[in-house]
Amino acid sequence: QVQLVESGGGLVQAGGSLRLSCAASGRTLSSYSMGWFRQAPGKEREFVARIMWTGGNTFYADSAKDRFTISRDSAKNTVYLQMNSLKPEDTAVYYCAARDIWSSAVFGSWGQGTQVTVSS
């Protein structure tokens, strides 16, 4: 199992930007897909974005497309989520997740989460 630690959350005004980081350890990530999810109070956890570690192909939820950018730094075993033009509805706990595409159809490794709060 991959160990994941998120950081970079905080309080930001609407229209502002924030960059989240997820440091991974414990496994080689060449066959992994890395994702970001979020969960607002009283709501189900929802998908935000994912990236294939090898090749860097990305996919975004409609709510994130054109505002958020997912990327990775292979030398640092770290995945990022750059969030721009933030809205109050982006307020949530953001979780990093990992999936070995050779052995699993779902994301099975999760970080502890980092709080993002967008004020109006």
Side-chain angles (χ1 to χ4, degrees):
Q1 187 166 315
V2 179
Q3 289 76 53
L4 305 170
V5 179
E6 302 99 329
S7 62
L11 176 64
V12 64
Q13 290 184 302
S17 299
L18 208 58
R19 189 181 74 162
L20 306 183
S21 298
C22 173
S25 62
R27 296 286 190 278
T28 298
L29 300 176
S30 58
S31 65
Y32 277 73
S33 175
M34 305 294 294
W36 286 98
F37 294 75
R38 67 187 183 186
Q39 187 167 25
K43 298 184 66 177
E44 296 289 320
R45 185 172 298 183
E46 66 175 351
F47 167 79
V48 177
R50 65 88 172 154
I51 185 169
M52 298 300 297
W53 195 262
T54 298
N57 293 335
T58 59
F59 185 77
Y60 298 89
D62 287 342
S63 61
K65 196 172 182 63
D66 300 324
R67 296 191 300 126
F68 294 2
T69 302
I70 189 170
S71 62
R72 86 279 196 240
D73 186 333
S74 296
K76 297 181 178 180
N77 272 16
T78 300
V79 62
Y80 303 96
L81 184 68
Q82 178 67 47
M83 304 185 293
N84 299 323
S85 301
L86 283 163
K87 306 172 181 179
E89 52 261 46
D90 295 318
T91 295
V93 177
Y94 283 70
Y95 297 91
C96 181
R99 175 175 73 91
D100 186 341
I101 62 174
W102 288 5
S103 62
S104 181
V106 299
F107 288 90
S109 297
W110 297 84
Q112 81 288 348
T114 185
Q115 177 71 48
V116 171
T117 303
V118 184
S119 65
S120 59

